[in-house]
Amino acid sequence: MDLTHRPRRLRQDRVRGLVSETSLEPTDLIAPIFVDATTDERVPIESMPGHERVPIDEAVARVEEVRETGVEAVMVFGIPASKDPEGSRAWAEDGVVQEATRRISAETDAYVITDVCLCEYTDHGHCGPLEAELRGDTDVGEGGPACDPTLTVDNDATLGALDRIAVSHAEAGADMIAPSGMMDGMVAAIREGLDRDGFEHVPIMSYAAKYESAFYGPFRDAADGAPSFGNRRHYQMDPANAREALREVRLDVEQGADVLMVKPALPYLDIVGSLRREFDHPVAAYNVSGEYAMLHAAAEKGWLELEAVALESLLSIKRAGADLILTYFAEDVAAEL
Ligand SMILES: [Zn+2]
């Protein structure tokens, strides 16, 4: 029996820390927050225990809660006062994200990242204006446009809107812009818009490989962004595809993305790992609402220990290659670290 090699030697208590390959710090984490223009008081989000939609007046207080745990960055999502087919409240100067961002950046030191998309702002819940046939501008015959599975969001018409939204967020004081709609050319359109209007210093974190995932369910409760018909598979990625993710991400790199995000995180750690190997850019992973909700649900049943599985999840995401993690566990885990 040859036991020259005994890996257990380095697993003894006082040496484990010295040989640990991965560490997790509160400054690696970004806390998503939900600001809701339709409410005057905080509204708990049922499928995401511990999270609430807060009114604009409480946005600063909400960010201060995050900062107290040691987390320095927030991702702001907005629920607008009203919706329309174009999602015009998304770029309104007095829009919900713009108002909240203005206050947060004036009154706190938080690093403010804003989500740039249209799905929370359009009345149909898709990530951009619909193609003409879907809008009903032309006759599509029997069954109606919503029944035609080949129709979807008008990619190129969406790009102009994303430019306006990004610039309006930067004007309000956003430190970083995070487009999540998976439109072709979105990073280039936003980079051009920001540079044109004097925001060349504002980085873009692209949701570069965002999958059409069933793990987003609880978020749709939170942000009221479920599509009213169809799904998002014409713009978000097929969960079956890994090589395509590299192609998608390469396009965003060419268009000037500063940070590359994979969403969701845990079911897509292979993608996080391959981005880490293929690119030198910082890699972000979004530990999504479903990943959060399932651990909470299991813990509620007494089947898992919440703090331990939350920490292990985030550590695994870092080990796979993520530099930063967007997570609903940010505050809880940071407080423990
Ligand atoms: Zn969207």
Side-chain angles (χ1 to χ4, degrees):
M1 185 165 41
D2 178 10
L3 279 171
T4 311
H5 300 287
R6 290 181 181 270
R8 289 183 53 181
R9 288 182 196 123
L10 295 180
R11 290 182 199 141
Q12 299 174 82
D13 277 345
R14 286 176 303 137
V15 72
R16 271 170 62 99
L18 285 173
V19 298
S20 170
E21 297 175 28
T22 310
S23 66
L24 187 67
E25 306 291 334
T27 48
D28 299 328
L29 306 177
I30 300 164
I33 64 165
F34 298 96
V35 185
D36 186 345
T38 69
T39 179
D40 296 327
E41 47 190 53
R42 292 182 177 224
V43 182
I45 302 164
E46 205 185 326
S47 52
M48 293 168 62
H51 283 273
E52 301 168 316
R53 302 175 177 199
V54 302
I56 294 170
D57 282 343
E58 299 230 12
V60 168
R62 178 74 192 95
V63 170
E64 276 164 356
E65 292 162 13
V66 171
R67 299 266 305 163
E68 273 164 26
T69 65
V71 174
E72 296 175 359
V74 293
M75 168 83 96
V76 181
F77 291 95
I79 295 100
S82 62
K83 305 190 183 206
D84 57 42
E86 271 68 50
S88 62
R89 292 300 298 168
W91 59 82
E93 201 190 329
D94 62 348
V96 57
V97 168
Q98 291 82 351
E99 281 291 340
T101 299
R102 218 169 276 128
R103 296 183 195 192
I104 296 165
S105 40
E107 295 177 42
T108 77
D109 291 328
Y111 190 78
V112 182
I113 308 168
T114 56
D115 178 75
V116 169
C117 199
L118 284 151
C119 43
E120 284 124 45
Y121 301 85
T122 53
D123 52 12
H124 44 75
H126 279 284
C127 299
L130 303 175
E131 289 177 345
E133 295 84 349
L134 256 181
R135 293 198 306 265
D137 297 357
T138 53
D139 187 14
V140 288
E142 246 173 274
C147 300
D148 184 339
T150 65
L151 295 175
T152 181
V153 168
D154 185 337
N155 188 89
D156 300 7
T158 304
L159 298 180
L162 296 179
D163 168 354
R164 295 176 75 176
I165 300 168
V167 167
S168 74
H169 287 182
E171 280 169 347
D175 296 301
M176 182 185 269
I177 299 295
S180 60
M182 289 295 282
M183 294 300 131
D184 294 336
M186 70 180 183
V187 173
I190 290 172
R191 187 70 271 158
E192 224 177 283
L194 290 172
D195 292 355
R196 176 197 62 225
D197 289 357
F199 298 106
E200 55 284 299
H201 57 283
V202 174
I204 298 174
M205 172 161 65
S206 179
Y207 288 64
K210 180 178 181 179
Y211 285 86
E212 208 252 338
S213 169
F215 283 93
Y216 304 145
F219 177 90
R220 291 176 184 170
D221 285 354
D224 193 18
S228 62
F229 67 90
N231 51 51
R232 296 185 173 128
R233 70 170 181 267
H234 296 293
Y235 38 107
Q236 296 177 351
M237 281 189 53
D238 183 344
N241 294 358
R243 294 190 302 272
E244 186 194 359
L246 294 178
R247 216 163 74 230
E248 263 286 357
V249 172
R250 199 165 288 121
L251 291 172
D252 284 9
V253 167
E254 287 165 10
Q255 291 169 35
D258 299 281
V259 180
L260 310 171
M261 192 206 295
V262 176
K263 183 179 181 180
L266 292 176
Y268 297 88
L269 292 184
D270 58 326
I271 310 299
V272 173
S274 60
L275 256 61
R276 175 69 297 144
R277 288 187 295 276
E278 292 286 326
F279 301 97
D280 295 328
H281 292 59
V283 173
Y286 201 136
N287 177 228
V288 303
S289 59
E291 300 172 52
Y292 177 83
M294 67 184 180
L295 297 192
H296 265 274
E300 229 167 75
K301 284 189 171 281
W303 295 345
L304 288 175
E305 196 202 318
L306 187 61
E307 290 74 28
V309 287
L311 186 62
E312 187 178 331
S313 300
L314 300 190
L315 198 62
S316 301
I317 295 166
K318 268 211 90 178
R319 191 197 61 232
D323 302 292
L324 36 151
I325 307 173
L326 294 105
T327 176
Y328 302 100
F329 287 117
E331 292 161 88
D332 295 340
V333 167
E336 249 178 274
L337 299 169

